[in-house]
Amino acid sequence: MFYEPASRDKNVLPHDPLKAIVAPRPIGWISTVSSDGVANLSPYSFFNAVSSMPDMVMFSSAGWKDSVTNAKATREFVCNYVSEELAAAMNQSSVTAPSEIDEFSFAQLERADCRLVKAPRVAAAPAALECRVTKIVELDRADGTKGAYVMVIGEIVGVHIRDEFITPDGRFDAAKARPVTRMGYRDYGAPGEIFEMIRPPDWTG
Ligand SMILES: Cc1cc2nc3c(=O)[nH]c(=O)nc-3n(C[C@H](O)[C@H](O)[C@H](O)COP(=O)(O)O)c2cc1C
């Protein structure tokens, strides 16, 4: 099969397979605070790390959702780690609600203070990344016309890891933290097996 996204045959593929093909995707559980001081918490699976040294992440929103509006106003956001035990609360926090609704309260999540940014973080999350916005990009199509998404890129300025998720040899224990990932449609995944591979030595000719 081959199709062009704009003319997908909905009788054959009733739901867009893109997000099932580009999967699993990590979920950035983005907390922000509005200029009026209202906290916001929402999951974004158009999310990833895009740079190290400086460490950077991005999330991408279908239009100007509250997370983007708040990130633009405050130049800050926090990315909370979604572990399996937080999956239901993460889903709750995706509620479409007016901007005056604080999803920490709606999803009954305890919040913790950040060190360097004003937005709160999810206290139970195994890790959280405090970020300062570097760029907000309205995504264009290939022909230069305006697309629907807005991408927020941020530099990580602070990292929280709950001590119980640090192994004795000083690694983040992803096997214990059990990240929830997005698989497309209504599907989610969690890691089955984690295995190690050593990269080949540098080419010597
Ligand atoms: C697992 C999951 C991933 C999501 N990923 C995105 C995403 O990448 N971009 C987006 O615009 N919305 C995404 N959503 C929907 C938003 O979380 C939802 O619209 C939320 O209400 C946005 O809230 P806000 O306006 O307070 O930022 C996702 C929802 C779920 C449950």
Side-chain angles (χ1 to χ4, degrees):
M1 155 181 293
F2 171 80
Y3 69 93
E4 296 178 39
S7 50
R8 165 169 52 92
D9 183 343
K10 292 191 177 149
N11 292 314
V12 180
L13 293 172
H15 305 289
D16 185 354
L18 171 70
K19 294 183 197 161
I21 294 170
V22 186
R25 278 165 292 116
I27 300 171
W29 202 7
I30 305 298
S31 50
T32 53
V33 68
S34 72
S35 36
D36 297 339
V38 180
N40 186 278
L41 179 68
S42 303
Y44 287 82
S45 70
F46 285 145
F47 163 79
N48 223 313
V50 290
S51 165
S52 64
M53 306 283 257
D55 300 350
M56 296 174 108
V57 291
M58 69 84 199
F59 68 95
S60 184
S61 165
W64 285 79
K65 294 185 178 179
D66 293 339
S67 310
V68 183
T69 304
N70 294 350
K72 184 177 181 205
T74 61
R75 309 301 294 177
E76 295 172 348
F77 66 92
V78 180
C79 165
N80 301 275
Y81 189 101
V82 182
S83 57
E84 219 168 25
E85 66 174 28
L86 290 169
M90 175 280 294
N91 192 33
Q92 279 285 102
S93 74
S94 76
V95 63
T96 301
S99 50
E100 59 270 22
I101 298 301
D102 173 335
E103 288 88 359
F104 280 90
S105 305
F106 180 77
Q108 296 183 313
L109 280 161
E110 194 188 326
R111 67 195 81 202
D113 286 341
C114 281
R115 296 270 185 103
L116 304 172
V117 307
K118 288 203 186 74
R121 62 192 169 92
V122 175
L129 311 173
E130 299 189 14
C131 301
R132 293 220 167 94
V133 172
T134 60
K135 220 169 237 184
I136 297 180
V137 186
E138 290 185 298
L139 299 179
D140 290 339
R141 293 168 178 268
D143 66 6
T145 61
K146 209 167 165 339
Y149 275 73
V150 186
M151 179 168 68
V152 180
I153 306 169
E155 179 174 344
I156 299 166
V157 293
V159 178
H160 298 264
I161 304 176
R162 280 175 52 199
D163 291 345
E164 65 199 89
F165 293 100
I166 300 177
T167 63
D169 63 348
R171 295 178 183 219
F172 177 68
D173 194 344
K176 184 174 179 187
R178 295 196 57 75
V180 172
T181 59
R182 196 77 168 98
M183 298 297 295
Y185 311 114
R186 291 173 175 169
D187 298 338
Y188 291 86
E193 183 197 0
I194 295 177
F195 61 93
E196 190 177 58
M197 281 204 286
I198 311 295
R199 282 178 61 182
D202 284 349
W203 182 260
T204 52

